[in-house]
Amino acid sequence: MKIPPRVTERAFKRLAEIGAADQGQALRIAVQGGGCSGFQYEIALDTPKNDDLVLDGNGQMVVVDPISLPFLENATIDFSEELIGTRFVIDNPNASSSCGCGTSFSM
């Protein structure tokens, strides 16, 4: 059985702070070919589509398209606040390596 990605409370809280749901938006997590390691994450606010997996919490939504879903199996979507900046991050156990930028990975 496939294990869908999970979203932390911190990530849902940040989406609420920026008012994503108030604007009819969800955080879209997608995987595309490219980047310095072979695949890259695309993270953006977007309108949910009918075939998306919807992960919801605190009235907020994170969506993943069906093509990206196998790459994100059992991944954790979080929000990080560090000295270098704030951003949504993905801890992906399927990635065999990742780039220092945190948005590119290989499998």
Side-chain angles (χ1 to χ4, degrees):
M1 179 178 185
K2 306 266 183 206
I3 301 171
R6 75 174 197 86
V7 182
T8 66
E9 287 298 315
R10 186 171 37 213
F12 281 129
K13 181 180 174 188
R14 179 61 181 150
L15 285 171
E17 288 170 356
I18 61 177
D22 298 337
Q23 302 168 35
Q25 301 284 293
L27 184 70
R28 177 168 301 281
I29 307 293
V31 175
Q32 298 181 341
C36 48
S37 296
F39 295 99
Q40 63 187 4
Y41 299 113
E42 182 163 319
I43 302 172
L45 291 179
D46 193 14
T47 304
K49 298 185 178 35
N50 288 338
D51 61 348
D52 286 336
L53 169 70
V54 177
L55 306 163
D56 55 2
N58 295 341
Q60 304 300 311
M61 294 183 294
V62 173
V63 295
V64 180
D65 66 87
I67 294 172
S68 298
L69 196 53
F71 295 99
L72 295 167
E73 184 179 336
N74 203 25
T76 301
I77 300 156
D78 197 6
F79 183 74
S80 173
E81 295 182 83
E82 300 174 356
L83 289 175
I84 60 171
T86 61
R87 63 189 175 131
F88 288 97
V89 294
I90 300 168
D91 178 16
N92 190 342
N94 304 303
S96 58
S97 66
S98 62
C99 181
C101 66
T103 61
S104 184
F105 66 101
S106 62
M107 294 183 83

